[in-house]
Amino acid sequence: MIKDLWYKNAVIYNLSVGTFMDANGDGIGDFQGLQRRLDYLQGLGVTCLWLGPFQPSPMRDHGYDVADYYNVDPRYGTLGDFVEFSHACKQRGIRVIIDLVVNHTSDQHPWFQAARQDPDSPYRDWYVWSDKKPADADQGVVFPGVQKTTWSWDKEARAYYFHRFYEFQPDLNTAHPEVQAELLKVMGFWIELGVSGFRMDAVPFVIATKGPEVKKPKQQFDMLRTFREFVQWRCGDAVLLAEANVLPTVDQEYFGDDGDRMQMVFNFQVNQNLFYALATADTRPLAKALDVTRVPRPSTNQWGLFLRNHDELDLGRLTEAQRKRVFDAFGPDKDMQLYDRGIRRRLAPMLRGDRRWLELAYSLLFTLPGTPVLRYGDEIGMGDDLSLPERECARTPMQWSDEPQGGFTKANDPVHPVISGGAYGYERINAAHQRRDPSALLNWTERIIRMRKECPEIGWGDFQVLPTGSNAVLAIRYDWRNNSVLVVHNLDDRPHEIALAVDGTGESPRLVNLLAEDHNDPEEDGRHRLVLEPYGYRWYRLGGLDYLLRRTEGPVGGAKRS
């Protein structure tokens, strides 16, 4: 059973080992370098690290083509280095979750090599084969414009193999009992080395039925319960965070009605509508997305909230007209777009480096229902390198200082070019400069993270979107254990005055500003009148700062939350 729902009020920081810090000077980030930067992450307020793939790989897809699930790629160090890193995180109270990429392997994985060489190999059925190319082989490609098919011919096997992603990533037959048993072993291995859970990659594809006869894949949700049971048996507070870009009509299936599948799921519906709101200053679709993803669920379940991640900003769930509005605002040039559905830029250049707009976006990230997930470098406003192919443009090395290669490495040829020159070059945008500037984005982010951790109502509580009288202004009240928090955001580049009927729980009707000194008392009609500057935001507590004395105690889990 879960001993501690730590993820409900966590701050998760996503990074790739290879682009964070290089300790040995070979131009590639490694676990020793990452370990040396843990004090920076602890100071920022991070409570959990999410690591991208670091297992041995040909690196044709940034490590998502895994060739050995039980080791560390030599470029990043050794298993010993990982254990030292894991121990150092534990000393600092930082948990670690890692990518679990089990929908497919690399075509260089020994399992696939054995499967293709011998039709009688025990590994043959670990993959999905067909003697003939299925008629729908050109349907369902994940990377339109780059990927042409989901079935490719293997000369040695003399058969077609299925690959939902690139041709060098053959799909595992995840419904096969032996494959499932092996995947549980993989999870158990890394749990023993100190990880607190897994971000499961491409979950809808992992649990889908596969084969040449499958015309409309069905989701095998019981598989998720198998994974969940295993990790909790091995480590009571280990979590599974699902990457599942699915419609709200089925997202409850990933949690399970009894909360017995995934503890966390990324909220793509809110993410996409959030960017539409940022582009148009129209919060109505965002409010609707919050409502439709608010299905009643056990209190052990949680949404993962994010702005940008290591992939493109996927806008596939928006209408064509909505998607065009977001493209026009944040990715108007064709080379800024990807796969006909998304934008491949980092957040800061998308928002034109406007500090007001950036603060608004991060304030929304930390106050929407769920657990915030921050991408490395976003805390300093890093940019992108559009000369790099596909999604690589937003995966450049961390910019630590204005020293050569941004302080990332002593090598002259890093794994990716460090962004240099211009508005987002390491000479101007780096952690060292910003740490010395009290008003810099880095220090602002540290303060906002500290305040978010002092508002567990956002991670734990029930919420209500309040009418504001303006489509540009979003107001949400959270209630939890006799305490209430109110957050208000103006997504417009013009000021707005609103009147709010707040209600909620508090000793008095006063709204105490948590980020400044302009507190707010209701007028004679009981409504609070607020004037919000362009891109303005407010975090309030209802009643006063004696809220800790008024907080009631209650059970950790079990009760339904809506």
Side-chain angles (χ1 to χ4, degrees), residues 173-453:
N173 182 8
T174 47
H176 195 291
E178 293 180 11
V179 173
Q180 288 192 25
E182 189 70 25
L183 300 184
L184 296 182
K185 271 199 242 179
V186 171
M187 291 188 227
F189 177 82
W190 291 104
I191 285 174
E192 289 301 313
L193 294 185
V195 308
S196 292
F198 304 90
R199 175 264 189 187
M200 288 192 66
D201 184 62
V203 176
F205 299 139
V206 172
I207 65 175
T209 52
K210 305 176 183 183
E213 72 289 347
V214 175
K215 302 304 179 185
K216 187 175 181 180
K218 295 182 179 179
Q219 306 299 300
Q220 303 164 94
F221 290 108
D222 284 346
M223 200 182 297
L224 301 180
R225 189 172 189 273
T226 300
F227 296 151
R228 166 73 173 272
E229 286 180 341
F230 179 83
V231 298
Q232 283 193 216
W233 287 337
R234 285 296 176 93
C235 181
D237 58 359
V239 303
L240 294 172
L241 169 57
E243 181 202 28
N245 187 355
V246 296
L247 291 171
T249 52
V250 296
D251 58 32
Q252 181 63 25
E253 296 285 358
Y254 289 84
F255 289 119
D257 289 337
D258 298 319
D260 57 353
R261 294 173 183 167
M262 304 286 99
Q263 287 102 330
M264 298 185 69
V265 178
F266 280 118
N267 198 329
F268 283 90
Q269 194 76 16
V270 165
N271 174 262
Q272 297 183 37
N273 282 282
L274 171 57
F275 274 92
Y276 176 78
L278 289 170
T280 63
D282 183 357
T283 66
R284 289 173 296 177
L286 174 57
K288 182 179 179 181
L290 291 170
D291 182 59
V292 298
T293 58
R294 183 189 172 159
V295 291
R297 60 188 187 276
S299 60
T300 54
N301 293 143
Q302 182 75 314
W303 286 115
L305 273 298
F306 63 102
L307 290 169
R308 290 291 290 112
N309 57 25
H310 58 293
D311 291 330
E312 76 280 4
L313 170 62
D314 191 339
L315 303 171
R317 298 295 181 194
L318 300 181
T319 66
E320 186 174 345
Q322 289 175 326
R323 190 160 49 250
K324 184 179 185 305
R325 295 288 298 274
V326 181
F327 278 149
D328 290 346
F330 300 136
D333 299 337
K334 203 64 180 174
D335 72 335
M336 298 174 178
Q337 303 168 16
L338 195 61
Y339 310 137
D340 300 323
R341 65 170 181 252
I343 297 174
R344 66 191 192 110
R345 308 177 76 192
R346 265 198 182 256
L347 185 69
M350 285 173 64
L351 301 185
R352 301 167 202 157
D354 187 327
R355 175 64 180 270
R356 302 170 305 162
W357 217 355
L358 282 168
E359 286 190 15
L360 173 76
Y362 289 131
S363 179
L364 284 161
L365 169 66
F366 285 105
T367 58
L368 290 175
T371 295
V373 181
L374 189 67
R375 177 70 170 158
Y376 83 94
D378 279 357
E379 72 273 21
I380 60 173
M382 274 179 55
D384 47 45
D385 183 352
L386 294 176
S387 70
L388 297 175
E390 295 185 62
R391 297 175 290 189
E392 300 300 304
C393 67
R395 299 173 176 179
T396 57
M398 179 66 180
Q399 295 166 201
W400 292 108
S401 70
D402 61 359
E403 296 175 342
Q405 307 299 347
F408 163 71
T409 181
K410 291 292 187 183
N412 293 322
D413 187 22
V415 59
H416 282 316
V418 180
I419 296 175
S420 178
Y424 299 100
Y426 71 84
E427 301 90 347
R428 182 174 180 272
I429 302 293
N430 63 73
H433 280 179
Q434 294 197 20
R435 264 190 297 205
R436 295 191 290 265
D437 179 0
S439 64
L441 181 62
L442 174 61
N443 288 308
W444 178 90
T445 305
E446 179 186 332
R447 292 192 295 272
I448 214 75
I449 287 175
R450 183 171 65 244
M451 186 54 66
R452 169 62 178 80
K453 289 193 288 189

Side-chain angles (χ1 to χ4, degrees), residues 464-531:
Q464 181 178 350
V465 176
L466 305 180
T468 64
S470 169
N471 293 336
V473 179
L474 180 71
I476 304 176
R477 192 192 72 222
Y478 293 91
D479 303 301
W480 182 69
R481 294 189 177 178
N482 203 38
N483 287 169
S484 296
V485 166
L486 171 72
V487 290
V488 187
H489 293 86
N490 174 20
L491 281 74
D492 204 349
D493 59 2
R494 299 181 294 108
H496 282 266
E497 181 177 1
I498 62 168
L500 280 177
V502 176
D503 298 324
T505 303
E507 288 294 306
S508 77
R510 164 169 271 210
L511 298 180
V512 177
N513 194 325
L514 298 177
L515 305 176
E517 291 297 328
D518 56 328
H519 312 310
N520 188 281
D521 293 301
E523 298 192 354
E524 291 183 2
D525 61 0
R527 295 159 68 87
H528 293 265
R529 279 168 174 74
L530 306 175
V531 177

Side-chain angles (χ1 to χ4, degrees), residues 107-163:
D107 59 3
Q108 300 305 304
H109 197 292
W111 300 343
F112 187 72
Q113 290 299 312
R116 67 196 292 261
Q117 291 164 10
D118 182 2
D120 297 321
S121 165
Y123 294 106
R124 185 74 167 200
D125 291 339
W126 285 35
Y127 294 88
V128 185
W129 303 92
S130 177
D131 294 332
K132 298 180 179 180
K133 189 171 186 177
D136 60 352
D138 60 343
Q139 302 297 312
V141 297
V142 174
F143 304 125
V146 178
Q147 176 189 1
K148 299 188 185 320
T149 182
T150 58
W151 290 88
S152 291
W153 175 256
D154 186 82
K155 293 181 180 179
E156 192 159 357
R158 301 190 61 79
Y160 288 91
Y161 64 91
F162 179 65
H163 54 91

